Amino acid sequence: MMAMRPSKTSKLSIAPFNFPAKQDKDYAQRTWNTLRDALYQIFARNTGSLSFEELYRYAYNLVLCNQGAMLYDGLQQTLSSYLQTMAARLHGANEAELLDALRTEWHWFRIAMTHVRDILMYMDRAYVALAKKMPVYELGVSLFRDIVVRDPVIGARMTSTFVALVTASRSRYSYHTGGADMACDELDWALLRSVTGILLDMGDDAVGRSVYETDLERALLEATAEFYAAESRALVSEMTCAEFLRHVEQRIQSECRIAERCLDMGSSVPKLIAVVEDQLLARQMAVLVEKESGLSHLLQIDALEDLRRMYLLFHKVAGGDAIIQQGLRKEIVAQGTRLISAEEQNPNASPSPAAAAAGASAAGSSKTASRAHSKSSGEGAAATLAPHDPLAFIERVLEMKKKYDRIAATSFAIIPEVGMMMIGSGGGGSGSAAASSRTILEADAAAAVAAVYESSSAAFGTALTATNTTPDKRYVNVIHEAFEQFFNAFDRSAEYLSLYVDRALRQDAKAAGGGETAGITSGAHQADDENSTDVVLNRCIVLFRFLQDKDVFAKYCQMHLCKRLLSSSKFAEESERAFVLKLKNECGYLYTSKMESMFSDIKLSADTNAAFRESIREDGAGGRHGHGPGQQQGTGSASGMPIELSVQILTTGSWPIQPVSDGNSGGGGGFSSGSRAGSGPGSGAGSGAPAPAPTLPASVRIALDRFEQFYVARQEGRKLTWIWHLGTVEMRGLFGGCSVRGPVSSGAANAGGGSGGETGPRKYELTVSPYSMCVLMLFNSRDAMTYREILELSGVPAAELKRTLQSLSLAKYRVLTKEPRAKDVQPADVFSFNDAFWNKSVRVRIQTVVAEKENDEEKQETSGKIEADRKPQIEAAVVRVMKARRTMEHNHLVIEVTELVRARFTPTPQDIKKRIESLIDREFLARDADDQRLYRYIA
């Protein structure tokens, strides 16, 4: 049986016609004519009888019949023809109607182009994309731009009309009504905004330039510059600086408002503000700052808000910060120079004996210079202080520094929340045409612009109350440099600053002891208020940092510390050590080594006095008990000690003390240590030739001899030099009802209160210097003596005797009377015991007359000591540098040595050269044989 194979499937094919299909030759033209007529109907807004579906099919068929080029070219010709007709119509519109007519034409043309784009959608997809032609809608926009908008007549009239309306709105602005209240509502801002929208919809032209920027914005910016240039010239001479700055601020706000209402914010806001800043600020900054009402005046009256406004406005202009900083530095230096000039008018002015004694006893009490604070510049507080007063000078400088710190923290501060880019910081151009055209119409963009100019107005007040502001470091540095410049221009700055610190620490000691304060809180009860001792000392450290010659301050600080430690029964040890620690942190250990040694000597002296009292007890003497270091300790009389004695043992070299010679007064420094009853000088171990001993009472001489024997036996090889003019003696005096009156020695009168009246015997406890004690003891036997007699009998050096007699007869407590009552002491002057002396307090402290600041002779002596101390420091620095470098040129060596010792002082090149010559003479260095300016280190 045979198997059947399946048959192959045959394929059916249709052969093409042997002749092409026939087309109507007039089909394409007829179809295009239909479409062209429809286009004109669309432009004429007669679309009611048109079938858009049919029109779409006509266009579709033409593209299918490869007639896309004919369709595209026909569309372009039709649009051009229609737009030329439109331009002709706009030529006939007057100035008032042009913008509105243009807006209307654009509105209907855009709607018409939307219909045309829908009809020719297939051409856009098939032909335009392949032929790389401009899409239908963009083609219409481009032709509208070139034929209508950029028509020479229409474009010029459109731009001039737009600019004229905006300029008119600026002209109606009034400074007194403010930029936000200008007559904006009289303009049709919607019309102007629509014109801006038309230009933004045009996008970029054929060469890539923004139509909005080239056709409108450029002319607007030129007109804006002309307007503000004329306004600036007119107002800069009429307004004060503060008024002009407020005017600029309001002008910036008004330009932001104009941009919000009718311009492209992203493109125009930064440019408009740049024009305002250039015409009103950049070209007038120097004039504004130098005006009589300019920066100097604003700084003097503490116009914080106006200064803040100036900072924010000038900050955005090139060179603005430099102009403010230059004016700020100039004003600070000028104010400081005026303070110095006022002080230098009478640099040798000394207080009267009464005032000097009062100042010495109070050590800077409120009668001398009370701390006063003012909300303004601080000059009101300084005005209450005495003229030619060192404390008043430093007080003024501190108030001035406080004032400018406040200005830096408020007016010249950077605020993170607001920043400096709030206005005009928007960068770049307008972006794409579509994005730019939408931006100006959206509510969130308008709100953003509103926030810009509202924040610009709020920024000036924000800095004055913000707690998170950061001062601009550039301005802080300028303030520091200016203070350093004028503070170092005054050769007494270091001395005066030390006196101010001395006053603060004395008041702290007085407060800690229960006395009244003069505006400074005790260090034992430190508070955060500005009057606390720690705050005052911190402010002094700020001024200390300005000093270039810090070794000069160290010298005066040691002298005043010496007085505080030794001239009173109590000192504020906590505050004293805290201040020394501050200095140590600033300049290192060596800077404060002598001061720390002083504290050690005080403690060791207390131990020595305790051992001395113990030795008295071991000898079987009874007596009172001591009271601690710096106070009076009791010693008995049964073992031959008729008075209480306390002695401070001081290390030579650590204390700035010079014994008094017969021809001149003693150097700086001061002791305070005295007997509780009877008489006895405070003493110390000094250096140099011993001062001639005054004629001491027998009881005092016995006590001193006893202590010296004890000390020499305890410390073999050491020698005591008594510093007579710096001791303190407590003695009893009897006034009224005695034939031979006067102070009496130990045991002559019991301690107790006075009579409380002006008649009858009155008993007082007088605290005086050892020299005063020697003088007063002479009046136990005589009622009156001449100066010559007192000089011969007391043994007190002449210069010290004159000071002593002035303090006893011319100061606050006049236990002696002087004839004649002249200030100066002459050899023939007669001094008498004042039997009528009365005081409500039983205890009377009589200080020797001293001037708070040094006279020229004393200052010259101090300067000589400072120069002598600098010589080894400069030489050590030279050797240190040369040992490391081995060879070095002169100028380079001077620079390195200056940098090495700058922390202590700033040497002059001449001083360094002298020290180099001295080292060459001593063969530490040698000059190079070929180059005399080259030095070589000799090992």
Side-chain angles (χ1 to χ4, degrees), residues 270-313:
K271 296 176 184 177
L272 283 173
I273 293 178
V275 170
V276 176
E277 291 171 346
D278 178 64
Q279 297 298 331
L280 296 182
L281 288 178
R283 300 174 186 270
Q284 304 295 342
M285 285 190 302
V287 177
L288 289 173
V289 170
E290 296 297 332
K291 282 173 70 74
E292 183 178 354
S293 61
L295 178 61
S296 177
H297 175 72
L298 297 179
L299 291 171
Q300 291 174 9
I301 65 174
D302 281 359
L304 299 180
E305 184 175 351
D306 292 325
L307 289 170
R308 178 64 177 167
R309 183 175 290 105
M310 176 181 287
Y311 170 75
L312 290 177
L313 292 174

Side-chain angles (χ1 to χ4, degrees), residues 297-578:
H297 175 72
L298 297 179
L299 291 171
Q300 291 174 9
I301 65 174
D302 281 359
L304 299 180
E305 184 175 351
D306 292 325
L307 289 170
R308 178 64 177 167
R309 183 175 290 105
M310 176 181 287
Y311 170 75
L312 290 177
L313 292 174
F314 281 35
H315 182 84
K316 290 167 55 57
V317 180
D321 283 320
I323 290 180
I324 296 180
Q325 291 166 15
Q326 181 181 0
L328 178 63
R329 179 186 287 107
K330 181 179 178 181
E331 176 60 24
I332 294 176
V333 173
Q335 291 185 18
T337 303
R338 287 194 292 269
L339 291 180
I340 295 173
S341 299
E343 182 63 30
E344 288 180 339
Q345 286 177 0
N346 191 7
N348 294 322
S350 299
S352 64
S361 63
S365 64
S366 58
K367 295 180 181 180
T368 304
S370 62
R371 280 188 53 84
H373 299 276
S374 173
K375 295 182 180 179
S376 59
S377 64
E379 294 184 1
T384 62
L385 304 176
H388 313 302
D389 184 356
L391 305 181
F393 174 79
I394 296 298
E395 188 71 35
R396 292 187 180 101
V397 175
L398 287 174
E399 289 298 327
M400 184 175 163
K401 182 61 172 60
K402 179 182 176 182
K403 163 187 171 178
Y404 283 99
D405 286 344
R406 183 174 64 253
I407 291 176
T410 54
S411 300
F412 303 140
I414 299 173
I415 308 176
E417 288 77 7
V418 178
M420 295 307 304
M421 304 300 291
M422 57 190 176
I423 299 178
S425 60
S430 59
S432 66
S436 297
S437 64
R438 299 297 183 269
T439 302
I440 197 168
L441 302 176
E442 293 179 358
D444 57 344
V449 170
V452 166
Y453 67 76
E454 290 297 338
S455 63
S456 70
S457 177
F460 302 105
T462 303
L464 305 179
T465 57
T467 58
N468 57 345
T469 57
T470 302
D472 193 325
K473 291 184 178 180
R474 297 170 302 169
Y475 288 79
V476 173
N477 293 337
V478 167
I479 292 173
H480 288 179
E481 292 168 3
F483 270 87
E484 182 176 353
Q485 179 180 343
F486 86 78
F487 199 59
N488 286 283
F490 185 39
D491 58 356
R492 288 182 177 266
S493 292
E495 176 189 358
Y496 284 13
L497 181 59
S498 180
L499 283 169
Y500 189 84
V501 173
D502 178 69
R503 191 274 299 266
L505 292 171
R506 285 183 183 275
Q507 289 181 344
D508 188 46
K510 185 177 180 180
E516 296 181 358
T517 64
I520 296 182
T521 306
S522 170
H525 304 88
Q526 288 294 342
D528 293 333
D529 64 288
E530 61 181 10
N531 292 335
S532 67
T533 303
D534 189 59
V535 172
V536 172
L537 294 181
N538 285 335
R539 295 173 65 194
C540 293
I541 288 294
V542 173
L543 296 187
F544 170 76
R545 295 192 183 106
F546 296 148
L547 289 173
Q548 294 177 351
D549 296 335
K550 293 182 172 59
D551 58 335
V552 178
F553 177 82
K555 179 66 67 175
Y556 285 109
C557 192
Q558 292 169 19
M559 294 165 55
H560 297 142
L561 175 62
C562 172
K563 290 181 180 180
R564 291 195 300 275
L565 294 180
L566 302 176
S567 66
S568 60
S569 59
K570 291 183 179 180
F571 64 93
E573 183 175 2
E574 181 181 350
S575 297
E576 294 280 4
R577 290 187 178 274

